[in-house]
């Protein structure tokens, strides 16, 4: 008769067999040396550098970067009757800049000629053009004309107001042909596409693959390629007093352009409104301008590194230098930029962060980055903090059901 064996006994026998040390002659697997590509998004760099744990949770733990909500408690989007969502308004203002910014075509540089993509003619002399704004409103489904007193008319007027601030600021003066900070703007390109590959030499780092006998090295990664693609909002082609050509990345941010923005009295509006557009210093003034520049400095640095890589592929005599990047602040029309030292410091920090990312992908067993310190405000916008189940948060805060 055949002995009956319970499932528990079969599992125990299997465990005993696996725990036995059996000498098995196996031929050494061929080590494969290869490169590995890892894609990234430039606009995530600053957030994951400020909180490496966020990147670890998404790319090692595999957590979806959306707030966890139960089916019957899905958050409904509360849309203000007065204003569009901030994301939509930002897209609308970016479109106004893309199609409405004047291209001066004031070629001064004696070397480093511009490609024909830079030499397009402008349809408007100023950004605050009712024709441009009407076209954008129509593209977003709100028609070329809006009835006065309606929310859509307020949005149209706010776009015009922000565009007028930019016209009054340093960018508006530059594209009109003014000489500021020892530079003339020769031409502009909006929504400039780029692909940037940052190569990291990993010197044949082995990749361990699981087997019942333990980890086995079956591959070595010779190089990791960190790939980024996207579009830069605006790139300026400039020439200095000596006729030397340069390029500068400028990224438009519309933070503070809706509420509590105050068109009638800037002293009662957003903190970014405290400095008028006519102040043409490129240094950030006050904590609000400093914060918005710091919040996006790695993103700006990556864009600038992409420009540098493009220039390096040209003959030496055709290359332009790349200036420290800048933010175009919609709420006050000003441009603020990193200093040369801040640009180099951000470059060093970015390269260190990209190297950390690459090592994390090669060795997922890396110890989890710590939670951020207590009372930090960074977590409030994180998808792992928000939702019905708090999956991460500042040190000391309880996790789980909320």
């Amino acid at each position: 008769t055949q002995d009956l064996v319970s499932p528990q006994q079969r599992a125990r026998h299997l465990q005993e067999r696996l725990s036995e040390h059996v000498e098995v002659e196996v031929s050494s697997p061929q080590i494969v040396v290869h490169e590995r590509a890892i894609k990234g998004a430039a606009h995530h760099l600053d957030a994951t550098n400020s909180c490496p744990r966020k990147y670890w949770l998404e790319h090692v733990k595999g957590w979806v970067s959306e707030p966890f909500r139960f089916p019957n408690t899905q958050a409904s989007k509360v849309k203000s009757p007065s204003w569009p969502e901030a994301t939509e308004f930002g897209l609308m203002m970016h479109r106004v800049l893309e199609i409405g910014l004047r291209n001066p075509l004031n070629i001064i540089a004696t070397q480093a000629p511009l490609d024909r993509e830079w030499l397009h003619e402008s349809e408007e002399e100023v950004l605050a053009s009712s024709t441009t704004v009407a076209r954008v409103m129509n593209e977003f489904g709100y028609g070329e004309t809006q009835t006065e007193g309606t929310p859509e008319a307020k949005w149209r007027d706010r776009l015009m107001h922000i565009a007028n601030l930019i016209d009054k600021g340093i960018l508006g003066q530059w594209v009109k042909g003014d000489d500021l900070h020892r530079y003339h703007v020769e031409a502009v390109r909006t929504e400039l596409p780029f692909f940037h590959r940052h190569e990291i030499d990993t010197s044949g780092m082995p990749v361990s693959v699981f087997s019942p006998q333990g980890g086995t090295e079956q591959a070595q990664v010779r190089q990791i390629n960190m790939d980024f693609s996207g579009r830069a909002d605006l790139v300026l082609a400039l020439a200095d007093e000596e006729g030397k050509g340069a390029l500068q990345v400028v990224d438009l941010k519309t933070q503070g352009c809706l509420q509590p923005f105050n068109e009638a009295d800037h002293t009662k509006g957003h903190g970014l409104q405290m400095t008028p557009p006519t102040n043409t210093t490129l240094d950030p003034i006050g904590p609000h301008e400093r914060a918005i520049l710091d919040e996006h400095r790695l993103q700006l640095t990556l864009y600038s590194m992409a420009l540098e890589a493009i220039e390096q592929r040209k003959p030496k005599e055709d290359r332009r230098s790349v200036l420290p990047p800048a933010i175009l602040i919609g709420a006050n029309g000003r441009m603020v930029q990193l200093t040369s030292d801040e640009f180099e410091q951000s470059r060093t920090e970015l390269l260190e962060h990209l190297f950390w990312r690459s090592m994390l992908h090669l060795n997922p067993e890396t110890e989890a980055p710590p939670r951020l310190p207590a009372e930090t405000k960074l977590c409030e916008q994180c998808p792992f903090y928000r939702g019905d189940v708090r999956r991460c948060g500042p040190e000391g805060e309880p996790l789980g059901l909320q």
Side-chain angles (χ1 to χ4, degrees):
T1 61
Q2 186 176 5
D3 294 335
L4 295 177
V5 180
S6 69
Q8 291 85 352
Q9 288 175 313
R10 286 198 297 270
R12 191 181 307 115
H13 292 159
L14 178 60
Q15 183 179 7
E16 291 172 353
R17 290 294 304 276
L18 289 174
S19 62
E20 293 176 358
H21 181 70
V22 180
E23 296 289 342
V24 179
E25 290 187 8
V26 294
S27 58
S28 299
Q30 182 179 3
I31 302 297
V32 178
V33 181
H34 66 111
E35 298 181 3
R36 184 169 178 180
I38 299 172
K39 293 183 179 180
H43 61 276
H44 289 162
L45 287 168
D46 292 276
T48 59
N49 183 60
S50 299
C51 180
R53 185 177 178 85
K54 182 178 184 295
Y55 190 84
W56 179 83
L57 289 173
E58 182 176 354
H59 293 275
V60 174
K61 300 290 283 184
W63 291 3
V64 177
S65 58
E66 295 289 339
F68 185 91
R69 301 189 187 279
F70 297 120
N72 59 340
T73 61
Q74 290 292 334
S76 58
K77 292 185 178 180
V78 179
K79 190 169 183 178
S80 168
S82 300
W83 299 105
E85 293 183 21
T87 302
E88 183 181 21
F89 184 84
L91 291 172
M92 294 168 75
M93 193 63 228
H94 278 79
R95 182 61 175 155
V96 170
L97 184 74
E98 179 185 359
I99 65 176
L101 185 66
R102 181 178 186 270
N103 191 13
L105 293 179
N106 182 24
I107 308 303
I108 297 173
T110 54
Q111 293 182 321
L114 295 171
D115 299 332
R116 66 174 182 271
E117 288 83 358
W118 290 87
L119 306 180
H120 59 277
E121 297 285 345
S122 301
E123 296 181 7
E124 302 291 341
E125 290 296 311
V126 294
L127 190 63
S129 161
S130 58
T131 303
T132 300
V133 172
R135 175 179 168 183
V136 171
M137 291 292 292
N138 191 47
E139 288 178 356
F140 279 78
Y142 301 112
E144 291 189 353
T145 59
Q146 295 77 37
T147 304
E148 296 301 324
T150 62
E152 292 77 10
K154 287 180 61 177
W155 308 350
R156 175 203 65 204
D157 293 343
R158 182 60 54 85
L159 290 172
M160 283 287 291
H161 186 82
I162 300 302
N164 187 53
L165 291 175
I166 295 173
D167 282 334
K168 293 178 179 178
I170 184 172
L171 178 61
Q173 296 179 47
W174 253 341
V175 298
K176 284 191 299 184
D178 291 357
D179 180 357
L180 295 167
H181 301 285
R182 301 185 301 106
Y183 282 99
H184 276 92
V185 169
E186 299 180 286
V188 302
R189 285 194 65 183
T190 56
E191 297 297 319
L192 187 144
F194 73 90
F195 172 82
H196 181 62
R197 167 166 288 177
H198 176 63
E199 299 175 351
I200 299 174
D201 180 10
T202 53
S203 300
M205 175 175 283
V207 178
S208 181
V209 180
F210 174 79
S211 76
Q213 286 75 39
T216 61
E217 295 178 5
Q218 293 186 347
Q220 288 184 341
V221 178
R222 175 176 60 85
Q223 176 176 294
I224 287 186
N225 299 322
M226 305 294 287
D227 292 341
F228 295 89
S229 61
R231 292 178 179 270
D233 292 346
L234 172 64
V235 179
L236 306 178
L238 309 101
D240 65 12
E241 297 165 332
E242 300 176 357
K244 295 180 180 177
L247 300 173
Q248 184 178 35
V249 169
V250 182
D251 202 54
L252 170 65
K253 299 300 178 186
T254 55
Q255 178 181 327
C257 287
L258 294 179
Q259 294 172 320
F261 190 93
N262 191 312
E263 291 185 24
D265 186 354
H266 70 272
T267 63
K268 297 180 180 179
H270 193 278
L272 287 169
Q273 292 184 258
M274 297 303 106
T275 306
T278 49
N279 187 327
T280 57
T281 178
L282 290 170
D283 299 324
I285 298 175
H288 294 280
E289 289 192 351
R290 180 77 260 176
I292 198 171
L293 183 60
D294 288 344
E295 186 181 347
H296 303 285
R297 57 193 178 86
L298 297 193
Q299 175 188 2
L300 293 171
T301 299
L302 180 83
Y303 289 163
S304 300
M305 289 172 58
L307 272 187
E308 290 174 338
I310 293 172
E311 291 302 299
Q312 285 299 314
R313 291 195 288 268
K314 298 179 181 178
K316 188 173 182 179
E317 63 274 12
D318 291 342
R319 296 175 190 168
R320 289 176 174 247
S321 62
V322 177
L323 302 178
I327 290 282
L328 176 60
I329 304 174
N332 61 16
R334 281 179 27 80
M335 267 178 60
V336 294
Q337 73 174 36
L338 297 174
T339 65
S340 296
D341 289 343
E342 289 169 342
F343 183 31
E344 291 308 314
Q345 181 182 350
S346 296
R347 185 198 304 272
T348 299
E349 196 168 337
L350 173 60
L351 295 180
E352 290 175 351
H353 182 59
L354 294 181
F355 183 80
W356 174 82
R357 280 190 179 190
S358 67
M359 294 301 102
L360 190 68
H361 282 274
L362 286 184
N363 184 15
E365 299 302 320
T366 301
E367 184 178 354
R371 291 160 65 176
L372 293 181
E375 299 182 0
T376 182
K377 299 298 183 182
L378 289 174
C379 295
E380 294 178 359
Q381 300 302 317
C382 179
F384 302 129
Y385 181 81
R386 296 181 289 121
D388 297 325
V389 178
R390 182 167 296 166
R391 295 173 286 170
C392 189
E395 190 65 42
E397 284 200 20
L399 305 181
L401 290 172
Q402 300 303 302

